[in-house]
Amino acid sequence: MMKRLQLIQNKITSISGLEARLKQWREQGKRIVFTNGCFDIVHRGHVEYLSAAADCGDKLVIGLNSDSSVRRLKGAHRPIIDEQSRALLLAALEFVDAVVLFEEETPLQLIRQVQPDVLVKGGDYTEETIVGSDIVRAKGGEVVTIPLTPNCSTTRIEEKIKNSLRV
């Protein structure tokens, strides 16, 4: 019998490993949802957002920015949490079905490979600014934005820690 940690770790996959799962899920008629992000310091806002994303279909795939990708996007001081730890934390969420790391700054190539039925991003995006929305729409898929949890972000947590250290 597989232990819980192993079940969680099995959700973390490469794109080639994901392709076999996608094929199986599609054969089962599952609606595949894709979202992506850095998910540095997983917090309440992430959990609320990802659970809402999972509600948009049957299987939730998360594209996770690698450490080097996060550094290019957020600066040399980020990520705070390394990619393997971030992947494990996301995979531990019961409504997450797969986590795949990507090196690029955007998930465009990954979206091309996954071909999700639903592409989800936070409410700080518009459909026009969501990378890959054209790909998903072209195949008859749906693009969804989910409102963000107010006052809940890794940047805010980081600022709060910095301010508390100054006191």
Side-chain angles (χ1 to χ4, degrees):
M1 185 170 157
M2 223 184 294
K3 298 288 185 194
R4 287 189 176 107
L5 183 58
Q6 190 178 1
L7 291 169
I8 292 167
Q9 290 169 329
N10 286 347
K11 292 183 187 180
I12 304 167
T13 186
S14 63
I15 186 60
S16 59
L18 180 61
E19 285 171 350
R21 293 177 199 190
L22 291 169
K23 183 178 186 296
Q24 181 182 27
W25 294 338
R26 286 198 174 96
E27 287 169 357
Q28 296 168 350
K30 302 294 184 189
R31 189 167 156 92
I32 297 162
V33 179
F34 177 89
T35 192
N36 67 282
C38 299
F39 301 103
D40 197 10
I41 305 182
V42 175
H43 53 71
R44 173 187 177 173
H46 290 138
V47 173
E48 291 179 3
Y49 166 77
L50 292 170
S51 64
D55 287 341
C56 293
D58 302 307
K59 297 291 181 179
L60 177 60
V61 176
I62 300 176
L64 180 63
N65 292 74
S66 68
D67 287 350
S68 60
S69 174
V70 174
R71 272 191 291 282
R72 289 192 303 274
L73 290 168
K74 308 270 185 180
H77 69 291
R78 297 279 295 275
I80 296 164
I81 309 294
D82 69 272
E83 64 190 36
Q84 291 306 314
S85 298
R86 291 182 288 124
L88 187 68
L89 288 166
L90 292 172
L93 298 171
E94 67 175 301
F95 47 78
V96 172
D97 297 286
V99 178
V100 60
L101 286 160
F102 67 96
E103 293 291 331
E104 300 79 16
E105 288 174 32
T106 76
L108 185 61
Q109 185 57 37
L110 188 53
I111 292 167
R112 282 190 182 118
Q113 291 172 287
V114 172
Q115 291 289 316
D117 300 301
V118 185
L119 176 60
V120 178
K121 284 300 284 180
D124 50 339
Y125 286 84
T126 61
E127 189 171 330
E128 299 76 40
T129 61
I130 297 173
V131 169
S133 61
D134 54 335
I135 294 166
V136 174
R137 284 271 187 226
K139 67 170 265 219
E142 189 181 352
V143 179
V144 175
T145 56
I146 294 173
L148 299 179
T149 303
N151 303 317
C152 205
S153 71
T154 300
T155 302
R156 251 187 127 84
I157 292 168
E158 191 179 25
E159 287 169 3
K160 195 173 180 179
I161 291 168
K162 283 180 187 174
N163 289 338
S164 71
L165 293 174
R166 286 189 200 127
V167 175

mmCIF file of all heavy atoms in Angstrom, residues 90-124:
data_model
loop_
_atom_site.group_PDB
_atom_site.id
_atom_site.type_symbol
_atom_site.label_atom_id
_atom_site.label_comp_id
_atom_site.label_asym_id
_atom_site.label_seq_id
_atom_site.Cartn_x
_atom_site.Cartn_y
_atom_site.Cartn_z
ATOM 1 N N LEU A 90 1.798 22.245 -2.997
ATOM 2 C CA LEU A 90 0.649 22.294 -3.900
ATOM 3 C C LEU A 90 0.073 20.907 -4.129
ATOM 4 O O LEU A 90 -1.146 20.715 -4.115
ATOM 5 C CB LEU A 90 1.052 22.930 -5.233
ATOM 6 C CG LEU A 90 1.409 24.411 -5.178
ATOM 7 C CD1 LEU A 90 1.980 24.864 -6.509
ATOM 8 C CD2 LEU A 90 0.202 25.260 -4.784
ATOM 9 N N ALA A 91 0.945 19.930 -4.336
ATOM 10 C CA ALA A 91 0.494 18.558 -4.581
ATOM 11 C C ALA A 91 -0.250 17.988 -3.374
ATOM 12 O O ALA A 91 -1.090 17.101 -3.520
ATOM 13 C CB ALA A 91 1.684 17.669 -4.949
ATOM 14 N N ALA A 92 0.049 18.490 -2.186
ATOM 15 C CA ALA A 92 -0.603 17.997 -0.969
ATOM 16 C C ALA A 92 -2.065 18.425 -0.886
ATOM 17 O O ALA A 92 -2.839 17.825 -0.134
ATOM 18 C CB ALA A 92 0.149 18.482 0.267
ATOM 19 N N LEU A 93 -2.452 19.422 -1.663
ATOM 20 C CA LEU A 93 -3.849 19.855 -1.663
ATOM 21 C C LEU A 93 -4.691 18.785 -2.363
ATOM 22 O O LEU A 93 -4.378 18.381 -3.476
ATOM 23 C CB LEU A 93 -3.991 21.208 -2.368
ATOM 24 C CG LEU A 93 -3.239 22.360 -1.711
ATOM 25 C CD1 LEU A 93 -3.263 23.592 -2.609
ATOM 26 C CD2 LEU A 93 -3.813 22.683 -0.331
ATOM 27 N N GLU A 94 -5.751 18.336 -1.712
ATOM 28 C CA GLU A 94 -6.521 17.209 -2.228
ATOM 29 C C GLU A 94 -7.127 17.464 -3.599
ATOM 30 O O GLU A 94 -7.311 16.539 -4.376
ATOM 31 C CB GLU A 94 -7.611 16.794 -1.242
ATOM 32 C CG GLU A 94 -8.707 17.818 -1.069
ATOM 33 C CD GLU A 94 -9.831 17.331 -0.184
ATOM 34 O OE1 GLU A 94 -10.442 16.306 -0.510
ATOM 35 O OE2 GLU A 94 -10.085 17.978 0.838
ATOM 36 N N PHE A 95 -7.426 18.708 -3.939
ATOM 37 C CA PHE A 95 -8.077 19.016 -5.214
ATOM 38 C C PHE A 95 -7.085 19.251 -6.360
ATOM 39 O O PHE A 95 -7.495 19.542 -7.476
ATOM 40 C CB PHE A 95 -9.024 20.215 -5.063
ATOM 41 C CG PHE A 95 -8.401 21.375 -4.325
ATOM 42 C CD1 PHE A 95 -7.516 22.234 -4.941
ATOM 43 C CD2 PHE A 95 -8.711 21.581 -2.980
ATOM 44 C CE1 PHE A 95 -6.947 23.291 -4.260
ATOM 45 C CE2 PHE A 95 -8.152 22.648 -2.285
ATOM 46 C CZ PHE A 95 -7.266 23.493 -2.919
ATOM 47 N N VAL A 96 -5.795 19.110 -6.094
ATOM 48 C CA VAL A 96 -4.764 19.242 -7.124
ATOM 49 C C VAL A 96 -4.438 17.850 -7.652
ATOM 50 O O VAL A 96 -4.172 16.933 -6.881
ATOM 51 C CB VAL A 96 -3.493 19.928 -6.563
ATOM 52 C CG1 VAL A 96 -2.354 19.890 -7.574
ATOM 53 C CG2 VAL A 96 -3.809 21.359 -6.141
ATOM 54 N N ASP A 97 -4.458 17.694 -8.979
ATOM 55 C CA ASP A 97 -4.215 16.385 -9.585
ATOM 56 C C ASP A 97 -2.816 16.229 -10.168
ATOM 57 O O ASP A 97 -2.312 15.113 -10.263
ATOM 58 C CB ASP A 97 -5.268 16.127 -10.671
ATOM 59 C CG ASP A 97 -6.654 16.068 -10.056
ATOM 60 O OD1 ASP A 97 -6.962 15.062 -9.405
ATOM 61 O OD2 ASP A 97 -7.413 17.056 -10.199
ATOM 62 N N ALA A 98 -2.195 17.342 -10.571
ATOM 63 C CA ALA A 98 -0.839 17.265 -11.119
ATOM 64 C C ALA A 98 -0.162 18.625 -10.984
ATOM 65 O O ALA A 98 -0.808 19.671 -11.122
ATOM 66 C CB ALA A 98 -0.868 16.843 -12.585
ATOM 67 N N VAL A 99 1.138 18.573 -10.714
ATOM 68 C CA VAL A 99 1.975 19.769 -10.659
ATOM 69 C C VAL A 99 3.152 19.518 -11.586
ATOM 70 O O VAL A 99 3.827 18.493 -11.476
ATOM 71 C CB VAL A 99 2.482 20.052 -9.224
ATOM 72 C CG1 VAL A 99 3.401 21.270 -9.207
ATOM 73 C CG2 VAL A 99 1.318 20.231 -8.255
ATOM 74 N N VAL A 100 3.394 20.448 -12.495
ATOM 75 C CA VAL A 100 4.510 20.313 -13.426
ATOM 76 C C VAL A 100 5.302 21.627 -13.441
ATOM 77 O O VAL A 100 4.733 22.705 -13.562
ATOM 78 C CB VAL A 100 4.024 19.899 -14.837
ATOM 79 C CG1 VAL A 100 3.083 20.909 -15.437
ATOM 80 C CG2 VAL A 100 5.189 19.626 -15.768
ATOM 81 N N LEU A 101 6.608 21.520 -13.252
ATOM 82 C CA LEU A 101 7.483 22.697 -13.266
ATOM 83 C C LEU A 101 7.750 23.132 -14.697
ATOM 84 O O LEU A 101 7.845 22.295 -15.602
ATOM 85 C CB LEU A 101 8.813 22.372 -12.588
ATOM 86 C CG LEU A 101 8.771 22.274 -11.070
ATOM 87 C CD1 LEU A 101 9.954 21.492 -10.555
ATOM 88 C CD2 LEU A 101 8.743 23.661 -10.442
ATOM 89 N N PHE A 102 7.891 24.453 -14.882
ATOM 90 C CA PHE A 102 8.324 24.959 -16.184
ATOM 91 C C PHE A 102 9.366 26.047 -15.977
ATOM 92 O O PHE A 102 9.331 26.777 -14.992
ATOM 93 C CB PHE A 102 7.141 25.429 -17.044
ATOM 94 C CG PHE A 102 6.402 26.638 -16.538
ATOM 95 C CD1 PHE A 102 6.705 27.911 -17.012
ATOM 96 C CD2 PHE A 102 5.392 26.511 -15.599
ATOM 97 C CE1 PHE A 102 6.013 29.023 -16.556
ATOM 98 C CE2 PHE A 102 4.687 27.613 -15.138
ATOM 99 C CZ PHE A 102 5.000 28.880 -15.617
ATOM 100 N N GLU A 103 10.310 26.117 -16.914
ATOM 101 C CA GLU A 103 11.471 27.011 -16.803
ATOM 102 C C GLU A 103 11.239 28.401 -17.406
ATOM 103 O O GLU A 103 11.888 29.355 -17.016
ATOM 104 C CB GLU A 103 12.686 26.384 -17.511
ATOM 105 C CG GLU A 103 13.214 25.127 -16.845
ATOM 106 C CD GLU A 103 13.866 25.396 -15.480
ATOM 107 O OE1 GLU A 103 14.402 26.501 -15.265
ATOM 108 O OE2 GLU A 103 13.814 24.495 -14.638
ATOM 109 N N GLU A 104 10.326 28.481 -18.357
ATOM 110 C CA GLU A 104 10.103 29.733 -19.065
ATOM 111 C C GLU A 104 9.431 30.748 -18.141
ATOM 112 O O GLU A 104 8.923 30.399 -17.094
ATOM 113 C CB GLU A 104 9.214 29.498 -20.303
ATOM 114 C CG GLU A 104 9.798 28.520 -21.312
ATOM 115 C CD GLU A 104 9.612 27.049 -20.905
ATOM 116 O OE1 GLU A 104 8.787 26.753 -20.021
ATOM 117 O OE2 GLU A 104 10.307 26.201 -21.468
ATOM 118 N N GLU A 105 9.403 32.005 -18.593
ATOM 119 C CA GLU A 105 8.748 33.039 -17.794
ATOM 120 C C GLU A 105 7.230 32.963 -17.909
ATOM 121 O O GLU A 105 6.518 33.394 -17.008
ATOM 122 C CB GLU A 105 9.263 34.428 -18.193
ATOM 123 C CG GLU A 105 10.698 34.633 -17.703
ATOM 124 C CD GLU A 105 11.332 35.914 -18.175
ATOM 125 O OE1 GLU A 105 10.609 36.913 -18.349
ATOM 126 O OE2 GLU A 105 12.551 35.917 -18.364
ATOM 127 N N THR A 106 6.733 32.428 -19.016
ATOM 128 C CA THR A 106 5.292 32.233 -19.178
ATOM 129 C C THR A 106 5.031 30.753 -19.455
ATOM 130 O O THR A 106 5.916 30.033 -19.933
ATOM 131 C CB THR A 106 4.709 33.064 -20.347
ATOM 132 O OG1 THR A 106 5.052 32.448 -21.583
ATOM 133 C CG2 THR A 106 5.186 34.508 -20.304
ATOM 134 N N PRO A 107 3.802 30.301 -19.203
ATOM 135 C CA PRO A 107 3.468 28.896 -19.417
ATOM 136 C C PRO A 107 2.984 28.593 -20.838
ATOM 137 O O PRO A 107 2.365 27.552 -21.070
ATOM 138 C CB PRO A 107 2.337 28.669 -18.414
ATOM 139 C CG PRO A 107 1.619 29.973 -18.432
ATOM 140 C CD PRO A 107 2.713 31.018 -18.553
ATOM 141 N N LEU A 108 3.272 29.465 -21.793
ATOM 142 C CA LEU A 108 2.731 29.313 -23.147
ATOM 143 C C LEU A 108 3.008 27.925 -23.735
ATOM 144 O O LEU A 108 2.096 27.250 -24.222
ATOM 145 C CB LEU A 108 3.261 30.413 -24.067
ATOM 146 C CG LEU A 108 2.677 30.420 -25.476
ATOM 147 C CD1 LEU A 108 1.166 30.632 -25.437
ATOM 148 C CD2 LEU A 108 3.343 31.509 -26.312
ATOM 149 N N GLN A 109 4.256 27.490 -23.687
ATOM 150 C CA GLN A 109 4.608 26.184 -24.252
ATOM 151 C C GLN A 109 3.885 25.058 -23.517
ATOM 152 O O GLN A 109 3.400 24.112 -24.122
ATOM 153 C CB GLN A 109 6.134 25.979 -24.209
ATOM 154 C CG GLN A 109 6.604 24.707 -24.887
ATOM 155 C CD GLN A 109 6.170 24.601 -26.351
ATOM 156 O OE1 GLN A 109 6.130 25.589 -27.092
ATOM 157 N NE2 GLN A 109 5.797 23.414 -26.760
ATOM 158 N N LEU A 110 3.795 25.167 -22.214
ATOM 159 C CA LEU A 110 3.123 24.160 -21.400
ATOM 160 C C LEU A 110 1.626 24.100 -21.743
ATOM 161 O O LEU A 110 1.054 23.018 -21.870
ATOM 162 C CB LEU A 110 3.337 24.476 -19.919
ATOM 163 C CG LEU A 110 2.877 23.450 -18.903
ATOM 164 C CD1 LEU A 110 3.446 22.064 -19.186
ATOM 165 C CD2 LEU A 110 3.267 23.909 -17.501
ATOM 166 N N ILE A 111 1.006 25.250 -21.939
ATOM 167 C CA ILE A 111 -0.408 25.296 -22.320
ATOM 168 C C ILE A 111 -0.605 24.640 -23.680
ATOM 169 O O ILE A 111 -1.562 23.890 -23.885
ATOM 170 C CB ILE A 111 -0.943 26.746 -22.290
ATOM 171 C CG1 ILE A 111 -0.988 27.252 -20.847
ATOM 172 C CG2 ILE A 111 -2.322 26.852 -22.951
ATOM 173 C CD1 ILE A 111 -1.196 28.746 -20.696
ATOM 174 N N ARG A 112 0.321 24.891 -24.599
ATOM 175 C CA ARG A 112 0.255 24.233 -25.927
ATOM 176 C C ARG A 112 0.287 22.716 -25.777
ATOM 177 O O ARG A 112 -0.388 21.995 -26.496
ATOM 178 C CB ARG A 112 1.424 24.675 -26.805
ATOM 179 C CG ARG A 112 1.257 26.027 -27.407
ATOM 180 C CD ARG A 112 2.346 26.293 -28.455
ATOM 181 N NE ARG A 112 2.194 27.625 -28.992
ATOM 182 C CZ ARG A 112 3.106 28.595 -28.891
ATOM 183 N NH1 ARG A 112 4.263 28.364 -28.295
ATOM 184 N NH2 ARG A 112 2.876 29.777 -29.391
ATOM 185 N N GLN A 113 1.105 22.232 -24.838
ATOM 186 C CA GLN A 113 1.241 20.792 -24.640
ATOM 187 C C GLN A 113 0.041 20.213 -23.888
ATOM 188 O O GLN A 113 -0.423 19.127 -24.231
ATOM 189 C CB GLN A 113 2.544 20.489 -23.904
ATOM 190 C CG GLN A 113 3.771 20.772 -24.759
ATOM 191 C CD GLN A 113 5.068 20.661 -23.973
ATOM 192 O OE1 GLN A 113 5.384 21.514 -23.152
ATOM 193 N NE2 GLN A 113 5.813 19.597 -24.236
ATOM 194 N N VAL A 114 -0.447 20.902 -22.882
ATOM 195 C CA VAL A 114 -1.556 20.398 -22.067
ATOM 196 C C VAL A 114 -2.884 20.476 -22.817
ATOM 197 O O VAL A 114 -3.716 19.574 -22.706
ATOM 198 C CB VAL A 114 -1.644 21.165 -20.721
ATOM 199 C CG1 VAL A 114 -2.897 20.794 -19.942
ATOM 200 C CG2 VAL A 114 -0.393 20.903 -19.884
ATOM 201 N N GLN A 115 -3.100 21.550 -23.583
ATOM 202 C CA GLN A 115 -4.364 21.772 -24.287
ATOM 203 C C GLN A 115 -5.557 21.637 -23.316
ATOM 204 O O GLN A 115 -6.442 20.790 -23.507
ATOM 205 C CB GLN A 115 -4.503 20.789 -25.459
ATOM 206 C CG GLN A 115 -3.544 21.036 -26.607
ATOM 207 C CD GLN A 115 -3.878 22.285 -27.397
ATOM 208 O OE1 GLN A 115 -5.032 22.555 -27.719
ATOM 209 N NE2 GLN A 115 -2.863 23.066 -27.713
ATOM 210 N N PRO A 116 -5.595 22.461 -22.271
ATOM 211 C CA PRO A 116 -6.665 22.324 -21.275
ATOM 212 C C PRO A 116 -8.040 22.703 -21.832
ATOM 213 O O PRO A 116 -8.142 23.459 -22.799
ATOM 214 C CB PRO A 116 -6.232 23.305 -20.181
ATOM 215 C CG PRO A 116 -5.447 24.343 -20.897
ATOM 216 C CD PRO A 116 -4.715 23.599 -21.990
ATOM 217 N N ASP A 117 -9.061 22.175 -21.183
ATOM 218 C CA ASP A 117 -10.435 22.549 -21.517
ATOM 219 C C ASP A 117 -10.778 23.893 -20.886
ATOM 220 O O ASP A 117 -11.597 24.642 -21.410
ATOM 221 C CB ASP A 117 -11.407 21.483 -20.992
ATOM 222 C CG ASP A 117 -11.123 20.128 -21.604
ATOM 223 O OD1 ASP A 117 -11.173 20.011 -22.841
ATOM 224 O OD2 ASP A 117 -10.813 19.185 -20.847
ATOM 225 N N VAL A 118 -10.156 24.160 -19.739
ATOM 226 C CA VAL A 118 -10.387 25.410 -19.010
ATOM 227 C C VAL A 118 -9.035 25.978 -18.574
ATOM 228 O O VAL A 118 -8.220 25.259 -17.998
ATOM 229 C CB VAL A 118 -11.272 25.185 -17.754
ATOM 230 C CG1 VAL A 118 -11.593 26.514 -17.089
ATOM 231 C CG2 VAL A 118 -12.543 24.428 -18.093
ATOM 232 N N LEU A 119 -8.831 27.250 -18.863
ATOM 233 C CA LEU A 119 -7.630 27.967 -18.434
ATOM 234 C C LEU A 119 -8.070 28.991 -17.394
ATOM 235 O O LEU A 119 -8.977 29.787 -17.645
ATOM 236 C CB LEU A 119 -6.979 28.669 -19.632
ATOM 237 C CG LEU A 119 -5.764 29.546 -19.360
ATOM 238 C CD1 LEU A 119 -4.625 28.739 -18.747
ATOM 239 C CD2 LEU A 119 -5.295 30.221 -20.653
ATOM 240 N N VAL A 120 -7.446 28.938 -16.215
ATOM 241 C CA VAL A 120 -7.856 29.796 -15.105
ATOM 242 C C VAL A 120 -6.703 30.691 -14.657
ATOM 243 O O VAL A 120 -5.563 30.237 -14.553
ATOM 244 C CB VAL A 120 -8.324 28.932 -13.905
ATOM 245 C CG1 VAL A 120 -8.701 29.818 -12.727
ATOM 246 C CG2 VAL A 120 -9.494 28.045 -14.290
ATOM 247 N N LYS A 121 -7.021 31.957 -14.394
ATOM 248 C CA LYS A 121 -6.072 32.895 -13.794
ATOM 249 C C LYS A 121 -6.829 33.757 -12.793
ATOM 250 O O LYS A 121 -8.052 33.786 -12.776
ATOM 251 C CB LYS A 121 -5.422 33.798 -14.859
ATOM 252 C CG LYS A 121 -4.361 33.133 -15.693
ATOM 253 C CD LYS A 121 -3.172 32.607 -14.920
ATOM 254 C CE LYS A 121 -2.207 33.671 -14.478
ATOM 255 N NZ LYS A 121 -1.064 33.121 -13.727
ATOM 256 N N GLY A 122 -6.072 34.482 -11.993
ATOM 257 C CA GLY A 122 -6.655 35.347 -10.982
ATOM 258 C C GLY A 122 -7.292 36.580 -11.576
ATOM 259 O O GLY A 122 -7.025 36.958 -12.724
ATOM 260 N N GLY A 123 -8.122 37.222 -10.779
ATOM 261 C CA GLY A 123 -8.855 38.396 -11.198
ATOM 262 C C GLY A 123 -8.005 39.611 -11.492
ATOM 263 O O GLY A 123 -8.523 40.624 -11.964
ATOM 264 N N ASP A 124 -6.705 39.522 -11.234
ATOM 265 C CA ASP A 124 -5.818 40.624 -11.595
ATOM 266 C C ASP A 124 -5.446 40.562 -13.083
ATOM 267 O O ASP A 124 -4.720 41.406 -13.580
ATOM 268 C CB ASP A 124 -4.562 40.656 -10.709
ATOM 269 C CG ASP A 124 -3.843 39.313 -10.611
ATOM 270 O OD1 ASP A 124 -4.459 38.258 -10.878
ATOM 271 O OD2 ASP A 124 -2.655 39.316 -10.249
#
